[in-house]
């Protein structure tokens, strides 16, 4: 089954701790994305990567970091510098051979800071 | 600054009627616009993409229009069903690239 997976589904962390959210895809997509969604809000772009070993900041990159060492994987680290990390985090992927490509989303990780 | 605006108020309609959702944008010159559906606690699912040179696109009971002069897209669901109840998001490309900016979405509730 092709798809995009995120783990864990729910994550709790104490203030001051870094935490890494996993995102894996087996769709052979070059491009991957991380979004954050707060209650009643749309998706806001954190980081995106169009190719291995390259990534760009989105609108709200402060307090987050990413890596793209493999095509299939795009982990997101929420650092202690992120002031309001409690949110629903969504990972997505798409082809990059054309601009007219839809994004495929994972099921999301709900992060709660205690 | 770039903005994507969708009706913040929920849309309540009766089963069988046509639902029409609006997406307005400013400071974009989009080559295309996308619509997604999101159910509570889940990731969005792609529905339709319409290009700037297309006035209208259809897929089963869904229809999207795109007016680059008005800077607006309309999303229609005909013969709506309770299963169509969800939040619908429109999205535009960031800097004409691959990443997307999303509107806040409009919640649709279809009652029997």
């Amino acid at each position: 089954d092709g798809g995009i997976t995120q783990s864990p589904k729910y994550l709790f962390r104490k203030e001051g701790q870094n935490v890494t959210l996993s995102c894996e895809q087996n769709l052979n997509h070059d491009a991957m994305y991380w979004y954050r969604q707060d209650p009643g809000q749309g998706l806001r772009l954190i980081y995106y990567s169009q190719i291995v070993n390259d990534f760009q900041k989105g609108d709200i990159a402060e307090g987050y970091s990413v890596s793209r060492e493999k095509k299939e994987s795009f982990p997101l680290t929420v650092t202690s510098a992120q002031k309001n990390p409690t949110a629903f985090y969504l990972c997505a992927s798409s082809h990059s051979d054309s601009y007219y490509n839809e994004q495929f989303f994972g099921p999301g990780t709900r992060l709660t800071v205690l | 600054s770039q903005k994507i605006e969708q009706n913040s108020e929920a849309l309540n309609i009766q089963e069988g009627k046509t639902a029409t959702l609006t997406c307005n944008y400013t400071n974009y010159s989009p080559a295309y616009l996308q619509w997604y559906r999101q159910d509570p606690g889940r990731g969005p699912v792609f529905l339709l993409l319409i290009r700037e040179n297309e006035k209208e696109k259809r897929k089963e009971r869904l229809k999207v229009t795109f007016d680059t002069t008005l800077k607006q897209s309309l999303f229609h669901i005909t013969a709506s069903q309770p299963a169509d109840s969800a939040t619908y998001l429109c999205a535009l490309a960031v800097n004409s690239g691959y990443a997307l900016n999303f509107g806040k979405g409009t919640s649709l509730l279809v009652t029997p």
Side-chain angles (χ1 to χ4, degrees):
Chain A
D1 265 347
I4 181 165
T5 58
Q6 293 184 243
S7 60
K9 188 171 178 63
Y10 298 97
L11 188 56
F12 298 89
R13 96 159 202 219
K14 294 182 180 178
E15 257 187 77
Q17 289 181 335
N18 292 356
V19 63
T20 297
L21 281 59
S22 168
C23 178
E24 303 277 333
Q25 55 97 1
N26 61 3
L27 300 167
N28 199 32
H29 287 165
D30 286 310
M32 297 187 74
Y33 316 85
W34 274 106
Y35 296 91
R36 167 184 173 141
Q37 188 173 36
D38 294 282
Q41 300 295 313
L43 280 67
R44 291 187 289 167
L45 182 65
I46 305 173
Y47 269 99
Y48 61 103
S49 167
Q50 295 180 187
I51 197 168
V52 173
N53 293 323
D54 187 50
F55 47 83
Q56 287 78 41
K57 293 181 180 180
D59 296 329
I60 55 167
E62 186 176 349
Y64 300 97
S65 66
V66 292
S67 63
R68 187 83 189 278
E69 296 177 2
K70 297 188 301 181
K71 186 176 183 178
E72 302 79 18
S73 178
F74 191 39
L76 173 75
T77 297
V78 184
T79 74
S80 56
Q82 169 50 232
K83 300 302 179 190
N84 295 299
T86 294
F88 187 45
Y89 290 88
L90 288 158
C91 179
S93 68
S94 73
H95 287 297
S96 60
D97 54 344
S98 162
Y99 288 121
Y100 307 113
N101 291 314
E102 69 266 30
Q103 292 188 8
F104 292 79
F105 283 82
T109 291
R110 192 168 297 280
L111 173 64
T112 302
V113 174
L114 304 172
Chain B
S1 62
Q2 293 181 320
K3 287 185 181 178
I4 302 172
E5 295 181 350
Q6 297 184 253
N7 285 353
S8 58
E9 290 184 17
L11 180 62
N12 293 343
I13 65 167
Q14 199 171 18
E15 183 176 7
K17 303 291 187 184
T18 295
T20 298
L21 285 68
T22 305
C23 176
N24 295 300
Y25 59 90
T26 53
N27 295 322
Y28 281 93
S29 297
Y32 62 90
L33 183 146
Q34 299 188 21
W35 283 91
Y36 289 77
R37 169 184 171 140
Q38 187 176 24
D39 291 286
R42 308 189 72 166
V45 174
F46 170 79
L47 295 174
L48 280 168
L49 179 152
I50 185 166
R51 304 184 187 196
E52 61 176 336
N53 60 348
E54 296 175 318
K55 296 294 184 186
E56 183 179 296
K57 196 93 173 265
R58 291 176 185 262
K59 179 182 176 182
E60 298 173 351
R61 294 184 296 111
L62 308 180
K63 184 180 86 171
V64 172
T65 63
F66 193 16
D67 188 327
T68 55
T69 302
L70 290 178
K71 298 187 185 299
Q72 181 182 78
S73 176
L74 298 178
F75 178 82
H76 307 271
I77 305 175
T78 59
S80 59
Q81 304 167 359
D84 295 327
S85 298
T87 296
Y88 292 86
L89 306 165
C90 71
L92 292 168
V94 175
N95 299 325
S96 302
Y98 301 105
L100 295 174
N101 281 331
F102 285 81
K104 293 183 179 181
T106 298
S107 175
L108 172 67
L109 178 63
V110 181
T111 53

